[in-house]
Amino acid sequence: MGRIGRAKIAIIGSGNIGGILAYHATSRKLGDIVLYDIVEGRPQGKSIDISAAAREDEFDLRIVGTNDYADLKGSNIVVITAGATRRPGMSRSDLVHINSKIMKEVSEGIKKFAPNSYIIVVSNPLDATVTLCQRYTGFPHHKVMGMAGVLDSARFATFIAWELGISVRDINATVLGGHGDSMVPIVRFANVNGIPVTELLERKYKGDKSHAKKVMDQLVERTQTAGGEVVKLLKDGSAFFSPASSILTMIEAIIQDQKRLMSASAYLTGQFGVYGYYVGVPCIIGAEGVEQIVEFTMNEEEKIMFDKSVAAVQELINSLNDPPNAA
């Protein structure tokens, strides 16, 4: 009897996010791992280190470190974390021209050696890099998506949990729009097992609706600037634990065909009034990638914020020098 197949996950970029992602993907037994990097020795060293954890963490999977795109052959999912990261004082938009060159090289490698894969883009500025990846590979839009909304929603939920003193596992929170300072936390959807967060804040502050709203506004602002807050504190890097965790959520949804509803950067064809751009929206993620974009009716305030966020994405993408034609 032949060997039963299992998933193969390729991770482009073996820095902080790539290394942690590779480790947790194996510890969760999601599949064999290919860890790619242009720096010789880095992915090989990390693959050996992760492999040495196999006995104690009880997994039997193959982890390969490589500097050759050919080793991506047969990958079911490719995660792109490669690229420059933000430094203090640097915005996501500052990265676009640097990382666009990297995205072209990476996309060509994927197209040649893993033409049947699903791609999760993590590199910033997210909505621009996922757009470029799809254009360069020519893959169907539903097979190329960006990880941002899962992370932004997790950050929003975390800050709410801290404010209320309640387990974050019971917080439901949604963040849409572009992955940047104009992202849109949907306040009216935030709840604790169905109980609106706004109501709980009003109770906490003894019916003072004005103060409760002020606190919520602060939570929204902190969510929008959370990535920059981490960059400022670290001084020499950006977030990596929480992005890796968020990527795992998306990988599991695809490999296990979970049909999870989550925020992701997906290509819009008229949904929410947007045509031809990748923007963070609620998606059903399963074995076919982005299987459905779930629309809902925004109120006036949400629509204004969302349109502003979309405009920021459009401006960033339109600023790219001589982008390739869409497939």
Side-chain angles (χ1 to χ4, degrees):
M1 181 177 178
R3 176 180 175 231
I4 297 175
R6 59 191 178 199
K8 181 176 180 179
I9 303 163
I11 302 169
I12 309 298
S14 64
N16 285 333
I17 293 178
I20 291 172
L21 175 60
Y23 169 69
H24 284 295
T26 51
S27 64
R28 291 192 189 185
K29 303 174 178 62
L30 294 182
D32 293 331
I33 303 293
V34 173
L35 193 56
Y36 171 91
D37 204 292
I38 61 172
V39 179
E40 293 185 9
R42 178 188 289 169
Q44 291 88 348
K46 290 194 175 183
S47 68
I48 293 171
D49 194 18
I50 294 169
S51 297
R55 187 182 74 167
E56 304 310 316
D57 288 344
E58 299 180 348
F59 61 81
D60 290 290
L61 296 167
R62 188 165 181 256
I63 307 101
V64 174
T66 183
N67 307 113
D68 188 348
Y69 281 112
D71 289 319
L72 271 61
K73 184 177 180 181
S75 295
N76 304 102
I77 296 175
V78 179
V79 179
I80 305 175
T81 73
T85 58
R86 288 196 296 166
R87 302 297 178 186
M90 181 186 291
S91 70
R92 288 184 174 89
S93 61
D94 292 333
L95 293 173
V96 65
H97 294 294
I98 297 173
N99 285 345
S100 63
K101 297 176 183 178
I102 296 171
M103 190 56 59
K104 185 176 189 298
E105 177 190 321
V106 169
S107 298
E108 290 173 349
I110 296 171
K111 183 177 181 179
K112 181 176 181 180
F113 295 107
N116 298 315
S117 62
Y118 290 83
I119 303 175
I120 300 173
V121 180
V122 187
S123 310
N124 278 318
L126 190 281
D127 302 285
T129 55
V130 68
T131 298
L132 286 174
C133 180
Q134 190 281 323
R135 289 177 176 176
Y136 285 128
T137 61
F139 284 14
H141 291 104
H142 71 94
K143 299 189 73 173
V144 182
M145 65 208 81
M147 189 295 294
V150 178
L151 172 60
D152 296 330
S153 299
R155 285 169 168 166
F156 191 25
T158 298
F159 300 145
I160 290 171
W162 288 353
E163 173 63 30
L164 293 176
I166 294 174
S167 171
V168 72
R169 291 181 296 173
D170 296 323
I171 308 292
N172 298 301
T174 300
V175 178
L176 307 180
H179 183 54
D181 295 347
S182 64
M183 68 180 71
V184 187
I186 306 297
V187 171
R188 67 188 173 101
F189 286 175
N191 68 82
V192 183
N193 281 345
I195 303 172
V197 169
T198 51
E199 182 176 330
L200 292 174
L201 285 173
E202 289 173 11
R203 288 180 179 275
K204 176 178 178 178
Y205 293 106
K206 306 185 186 307
D208 188 339
K209 293 185 177 182
S210 177
H211 186 69
K213 183 181 184 305
K214 181 180 179 180
V215 171
M216 177 56 84
D217 289 344
Q218 291 171 343
L219 295 174
V220 166
E221 182 179 359
R222 189 174 187 187
T223 300
Q224 292 170 327
T225 60
E229 180 181 359
V230 174
V231 169
K232 184 177 180 180
L233 290 167
L234 290 178
K235 297 181 176 62
D236 60 352
S238 56
F240 46 94
F241 288 109
S242 52
S245 177
S246 299
I247 300 163
L248 282 169
T249 297
M250 297 183 71
I251 292 174
E252 286 182 326
I254 296 171
I255 289 177
Q256 300 173 6
D257 193 21
Q258 293 177 341
K259 313 293 186 188
R260 291 284 307 276
L261 175 60
M262 64 185 74
S263 296
S265 186
Y267 188 77
L268 302 184
T269 56
Q271 300 90 339
F272 297 102
V274 180
Y275 296 83
Y277 287 92
Y278 273 90
V279 180
V281 289
C283 301
I284 301 294
I285 306 286
E288 296 301 316
V290 178
E291 299 187 348
Q292 181 183 345
I293 293 171
V294 180
E295 291 187 88
F296 65 92
T297 302
M298 294 184 179
N299 62 31
E300 184 177 357
E301 181 181 2
E302 292 162 352
K303 190 67 168 66
I304 290 172
M305 291 178 66
F306 184 76
D307 288 346
K308 180 181 178 181
S309 186
V310 170
V313 171
Q314 292 172 331
E315 181 179 359
L316 183 61
I317 292 172
N318 293 341
S319 73
L320 295 171
N321 294 324
D322 192 28
N325 294 325

